[in-house]
Amino acid sequence: MGSFRVGPALVLVSLIVSCRSDATETRRTSGGIHVPIVRRPASDHAQRSVNTGSIGLGDFEDITYNVQIQIGETHIPVVLDTGSSDLWVLSTSCQESCSSNKVPLYPLSSFRPAHLDSMLIYGDSMTGTYAKGPVGSDFVSLAGLGVQGQYFSAMNSTNTSVVQTGSAGIFGLGFPFNSLLWINLALRQNGSTDAMMHRDVPPGAIDVNARFPSHLKNLNARWFPKNDIGNDAGAPLGRSMRQLSTTAALQSSVVSYGPLIPRLVAQGILDSPMFSITLQRDTIQIGGNEGMLSIGQLPPSVHSESLTWVSVRGYPSSQGGLNPPSDAPGEVYPVAWEIPLDDVWFDGAKLSKSKMSSPNISLSALIDTGNSLIRGPLDVVAQIHAALGGERFACSPPHSLEFQIGGRLFPVDPRDFVREARPGDPDICYANVVSTDVPVLGGTGYLYSWNLGDPFLKGVLAAFHYGSLTHPSQNPPRVGLLSTVDPNAGKQLCDDKHQAEREHEGYPMIVEPAPDSLPPARGTGVGGVPLALRPTATQKGTPGLFTNGVSRDMQIGVGIWIVISTGFVTWVTWRIAG
């Protein structure tokens, strides 16, 4: 049997907590699809209109956000992840680690195998979890936008805790050039013999019984500089794609094998080649923005000129990017939703830039819904902890962490900057900021220093515009951001803390399952961004679960934050099944 291995996609970080809540609804307009993002299973069909759609999101205690997707005849909640590009779901062939009556698994009855097996190991050098199973295709639909023959992995084994957070897989919304499925399927279709070489997994490298095996940390640190996108021999990924010699061949390969939304873009189905996301808040003070995924347009009440738009970093083939086609030799293609970062500020002071990476690497950040934390260079994160007086600090007074992007400051809402250090204790907190690996100049890894996950994204509307997939110089990919942080957010954090102290409880946290449509909004806030309705005790007949700091399904242990992955390195083995 032939084998080969492809460098990583970006995946996600999650915290372990458990709780439950309710649903939302998908809405469709003439310009786009709006899909609610939820953190648990969903039920119905999303509404759709021509060329656009929208649906609500599920939320598992602000740790993971999910959306309901249809595969074959089964509706499955999957984690929404802008840090990766591929779709994978747990199948009914997965037993012990997948057993749950909380989420539906993919039944394989309409699965068309591609005779490829995949194995993904997620994490940066700090963590590692895996999922493995066959690659194949089926009908896939999201918010009413569906395509036949969509490729994905149907996992039959994993040690991730994705099921515990109410999801049955991961839905990547990144570029096709970061899709492991697209790379391998396109290579095979074009008869490539220049694929990534296979490297055997060392004996015992995967411990199914260990959630965070320390040897995986060493494995990732040794083999993969952060976000390795090269092959085992160190050759950039793009050099393996030289068989796609023309832009027409590139376009055709994305139409046939690309991830779901890029396929819709390549087929010209969407009004605009974009999607946008807002995340609701289900901890400390429930509400905030309406959890929503809009495909093909911005929410109707939001105007493009209200956003700050910045370009996405391109990676030339010398840095591990896609080798340009012969009829467009000057093109440089994006790999991830990575944008330039001007500076980082904390409590009004500009933080010094990291000394751990080369000054020749421009400062940048990945915008990553699959990451439950904000992650940055160790020495810069240490500056923040020093200003706080340590890793544990008083939950109030509030603190201000701001990222300067496109010349504007985008603050993290003070309510999203902190989390309780001990369940039920509203006085002592940790920061939702941790360290990660730094980029290496001249390596095959990504070059961003910061990963801006859910704590940042709960305070913005984020729009992701693919531009031209074949000629990015003519229509560049870009990200638009609109800050929605309430100017009184700091005071509201103090009020929430005092209320929790009076009631001798921790901060509230809930779980909302992924809806099948877009729920009604409470109105609109900054820039016309829809606001979330606070979930009621019963919504659609299902009680919302309010935990006040303590999960009923599992206890939150100190130091147990990362459930699924860290969104930085994915180790993948692809095996051509005989």
Side-chain angles (χ1 to χ4, degrees), residues 176-230:
F177 320 118
N178 196 31
S179 163
L180 305 174
L181 274 67
W182 172 75
I183 291 165
N184 286 283
L185 290 165
L187 284 173
R188 190 177 66 169
Q189 178 67 21
N190 285 272
S192 171
T193 58
D194 187 31
M196 301 2 134
M197 298 182 296
H198 170 69
R199 172 159 43 199
D200 293 330
V201 180
I206 298 173
D207 181 356
V208 181
N209 299 313
R211 177 167 289 150
F212 311 114
S214 59
H215 46 254
L216 279 183
K217 301 177 188 178
N218 297 330
L219 177 149
N220 279 320
R222 184 173 67 251
W223 284 357
F224 305 116
K226 187 183 75 174
N227 303 332
D228 185 1
I229 50 178

Side-chain angles (χ1 to χ4, degrees), residues 49 88 94 134 302 363 484 540:
S49 67
W88 67 262
C94 187
V302 177
L363 191 63
T484 60
K540 285 194 174 182

Side-chain angles (χ1 to χ4, degrees), residues 244-500:
L244 300 180
S245 56
T246 66
T247 53
L250 174 59
Q251 174 81 4
S252 175
S253 72
V254 175
V255 168
S256 299
Y257 306 116
L260 177 60
I261 295 183
R263 279 189 77 194
L264 297 175
V265 170
Q267 294 173 20
I269 291 175
L270 302 180
D271 274 6
S272 181
M274 64 167 294
F275 64 92
S276 67
I277 292 173
T278 50
L279 303 181
Q280 69 267 47
R281 178 181 301 107
D282 279 347
T283 59
I284 297 188
Q285 187 176 77
I286 313 301
N289 297 328
E290 181 176 25
M292 177 193 301
L293 170 64
S294 298
I295 304 172
Q297 69 171 7
L298 291 168
S301 54
V302 177
H303 301 288
S304 177
E305 58 270 20
S306 301
L307 281 65
T308 298
W309 291 92
V310 290
S311 61
V312 171
R313 185 195 288 272
Y315 280 78
S317 58
S318 61
Q319 292 180 347
L322 184 70
N323 201 33
S326 59
D327 57 348
E331 293 292 351
V332 176
Y333 293 90
V335 175
W337 295 110
E338 180 184 345
I339 61 173
L341 188 60
D342 302 335
D343 280 301
V344 183
W345 300 71
F346 186 69
D347 284 348
K350 184 190 296 186
L351 298 177
S352 301
K353 290 185 170 62
S354 175
K355 302 295 192 297
M356 299 179 67
S357 61
S358 169
N360 296 322
I361 299 177
S362 60
L363 191 63
S364 63
L366 178 71
I367 308 300
D368 188 1
T369 60
N371 175 6
S372 65
L373 301 170
I374 293 171
R375 304 179 69 90
L378 175 63
D379 53 346
V380 182
V381 171
Q383 294 179 54
I384 296 173
H385 288 156
L388 292 168
E391 294 188 4
R392 293 158 58 103
F393 54 92
C395 297
S396 68
H399 295 276
S400 172
L401 176 63
E402 298 171 294
F403 294 90
Q404 186 173 336
I405 300 168
R408 295 191 178 183
L409 289 175
F410 289 86
V412 175
D413 192 298
R415 294 165 292 184
D416 302 321
F417 176 73
V418 296
R419 66 179 182 271
E420 289 179 342
R422 294 186 299 268
D425 182 356
D427 294 321
I428 303 300
C429 281
Y430 287 115
N432 281 320
V433 182
V434 298
S435 61
T436 188
D437 306 322
V438 296
V440 178
L441 191 65
T444 56
Y446 297 128
L447 298 177
Y448 62 81
S449 297
W450 288 86
N451 184 311
L452 304 185
D454 298 341
F456 173 82
L457 290 166
K458 281 184 284 182
V460 299
L461 176 145
F464 303 81
H465 196 288
Y466 289 95
S468 172
L469 295 175
T470 56
H471 295 85
S473 64
Q474 298 177 17
N475 185 7
R478 49 201 180 273
V479 169
L481 297 173
L482 172 61
S483 177
T484 60
V485 175
D486 189 327
N488 295 317
K491 179 181 183 302
Q492 292 171 14
L493 172 62
C494 294
D495 293 343
D496 295 334
K497 175 179 178 291
H498 295 151
Q499 179 177 347

